[in-house]
């Protein structure tokens, strides 16, 4: 059973789902380059992750129409199996976009995930929330086949 909740306030959003997987499996999906590439619409071989505070990441994302765009960023907070705070570099902006991923293990086979982000405008928030909704859907499908 997947439950989903979305809240938006100002230029922020938070998406919450209950995933049918233990927290360690969800963590691994977010922090292992091969797994992340599989579910997060990244070009094969393009994902690099140094998952530690101050570590960097990069990935080339593939759009539904086949376009590709590179993303880079860094990790601000890393609390294994619990919390990731990820910065994403934004062209033309001095400060990175920040996404928070929080995991709460509800049982041995269920984890609540909350993904939150604050954006500069309502349009940016809407696009980011739409993208995160797609990612969570793909993550849900990946976890069903991953364990």
């Amino acid at each position: 059973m997947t439950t989903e909740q979305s809240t938006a306030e100002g230029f922020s959003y938070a998406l919450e789902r209950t995933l049918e997987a233990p927290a360690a499996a969800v963590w691994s999906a977010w922090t292992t380059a091969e797994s992340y590439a599989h579910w997060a619409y990244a070009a094969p071989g393009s994902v690099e992750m140094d998952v530690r505070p101050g570590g960097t990441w990069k990935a080339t994302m593939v759009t539904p129409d086949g376009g590709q765009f590179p993303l880079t960023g860094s990790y601000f907070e890393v609390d294994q199996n619990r919390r990731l705070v990820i910065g994403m570099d934004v062209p033309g902006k001095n400060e990175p976009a920040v996404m928070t991923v929080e995991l709460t293990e509800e049982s041995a086979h269920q984890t609540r995930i909350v993904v939150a982000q604050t954006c500069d405008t309502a349009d940016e928030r809407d696009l980011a929330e739409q993208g995160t909704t797609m990612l969570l859907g793909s993550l849900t499908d990946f976890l069903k086949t991953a364990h």
Side-chain angles (χ1 to χ4, degrees):
M1 178 182 126
T2 298
T3 58
E4 185 172 341
Q5 181 177 330
S6 174
T7 55
E9 187 175 306
F11 302 134
S12 299
Y13 71 90
L15 296 176
E16 178 180 333
R17 281 196 183 180
T18 300
L19 302 171
E20 300 294 324
V26 179
W27 180 266
S28 178
W30 272 94
T31 60
T32 305
E34 298 79 24
S35 295
Y36 185 83
H38 188 79
W39 65 267
Y41 308 102
S46 73
V47 179
E48 294 179 21
M49 298 177 155
D50 180 9
V51 185
R52 60 183 175 83
T56 59
W57 64 269
K58 69 179 186 175
T60 299
M61 307 314 283
V62 180
T63 61
D65 62 5
Q68 295 191 4
F69 60 97
L71 296 176
T72 58
S74 59
Y75 297 97
F76 295 127
E77 287 182 46
V78 177
D79 184 0
Q80 187 169 345
N81 297 338
R82 291 197 181 116
R83 180 177 166 92
L84 264 179
V85 180
I86 306 162
M88 182 172 56
D89 300 325
V90 180
K93 293 190 180 180
N94 294 329
E95 296 295 318
V98 178
M99 175 183 282
T100 301
V101 179
E102 294 187 357
L103 305 177
T104 305
E105 195 160 74
E106 301 284 315
S107 70
H109 304 290
Q110 282 193 327
T111 301
R112 188 177 80 235
I113 185 171
V114 178
V115 181
Q117 187 172 354
T118 299
C119 302
D120 292 337
T121 67
D123 286 345
E124 284 179 18
R125 181 204 58 220
D126 293 348
L127 282 171
E129 186 173 5
Q130 181 181 21
T132 300
T133 299
M134 287 176 51
L135 281 177
L136 287 175
S138 184
L139 174 62
T140 300
D141 292 343
F142 173 77
L143 289 169
K144 287 177 185 171
T145 61
H147 64 259

